[in-house]
Amino acid sequence: MDDLTFVRVRELDVAVRIWHPDAPRTLVAWHGLARHGGDFADFARRLGPGWRVLAPDTPGRGLSSWSLYPAHDYLYSHYMTIAVALLDHFRLERVPWVGTSMGGLLGMLLAAETDTAARIERLVLNDVGPELDPDGLAALGTYFGVPHRFGRFRDLAAELRRHYEGFGPRSDDAWRRLALDSARRLPDGGWTYHYDPRIGEQFIHDTPRDTWADWRAIRCPLMVVRGAASPLLKAESVERMREAQPGLITLEAADCGHAPMLDRPEQAGPVADFLTRDFPAVGQRSPWWRRALARLRQG
């Protein structure tokens, strides 16, 4: 990263990793459940110096504070509060959002809520959507709901490579860098992951909601990236997402599961195209039924 800043939101310090801080355009990139903003390093480099990429570490992850009250802070409602506070801090009235897994769901909720929808100019969901495979979701909750301890760094690195195979790094060096960015020492000299083990309590305390209703309510341009072998977002779900949002742009990432790192040209390139494509303003797009009626009248 090229810069790092900490933003105080209530009692928590939120770390924001920044690439190309002087770029003319800005996007927010938000990571997945047990990851951190550093995952977007290669993506930011591939986008190039025209984009300032802001990648926060959600509280409980990476360089951000851990919460003393997980039942209150490790919830989507609180993540939405943090996201708005960060947009305000950086004076971003309207910004593109790229979200991996949890970060994508957070962007989806912001784009669907009346009070925040105008802040999301366009939205990229990376291997996530309003319908997730229950077995895949349960596996995530089980894995991240318990502490992980490793006696040696190489044991952590091996386990991370096994568990995050779906990320799709192609070289041993890339896997090693990922492990180094994901590890922290324990007081007893062992190793563990960089996140608070209590983030898994989100699966217990968070309030379920109708995410299909959220998806249908979104009015900004939409793109979804799906790992071809994703255990979480099924191809059939993407088709249903397209039915509800006919303008949806899709990309299937080969040799990836959950979730692509957006670090390859064939992944980052189409996302970059989406980010720069001209779309009609929301107010200029008629409802589908009005367009259909106009076609009928034209004969």
Side-chain angles (χ1 to χ4, degrees), residues 2-155:
D2 302 315
D3 197 7
L4 174 70
T5 189
F6 289 86
V7 180
R8 190 75 172 177
V9 183
R10 298 180 181 172
E11 76 285 357
L12 299 174
D13 282 330
V14 181
V16 183
R17 304 167 195 245
I18 305 172
W19 288 267
H20 311 127
D22 299 321
R25 295 177 291 188
T26 298
L27 68 84
V28 173
W30 208 292
H31 63 82
L33 175 66
R35 298 300 307 156
H36 58 73
D39 286 349
F40 293 102
D42 289 336
F43 173 64
R45 298 302 182 199
R46 290 201 178 277
L47 283 185
W51 284 99
R52 177 176 65 157
V53 178
L54 306 178
D57 290 354
T58 310
R61 292 82 164 173
L63 301 175
S64 289
S65 299
W66 288 16
S67 173
L68 297 176
Y69 310 100
H72 173 267
D73 290 335
Y74 297 158
L75 305 173
Y76 277 106
S77 58
H78 194 237
Y79 300 157
M80 292 174 73
T81 298
I82 291 169
V84 171
L86 295 181
L87 295 179
D88 291 343
H89 175 84
F90 289 100
R91 299 181 180 179
L92 300 171
E93 291 299 321
R94 190 165 171 80
V95 67
W97 184 286
V98 177
T100 295
S101 195
M102 180 192 76
L105 287 179
L106 175 58
M108 191 176 82
L109 297 179
L110 292 167
E113 286 285 343
T114 302
D115 292 341
T116 55
R119 308 295 293 269
I120 309 300
E121 188 267 334
R122 63 189 69 194
L123 175 62
V124 179
L125 301 182
N126 184 17
D127 210 59
V128 76
E131 179 179 83
L132 301 176
D133 183 84
D135 292 336
L137 199 59
L140 282 179
T142 300
Y143 187 83
F144 294 117
V146 297
H148 295 271
R149 184 194 178 283
F150 307 92
R152 298 172 297 179
F153 175 79
R154 67 183 184 185
D155 297 330

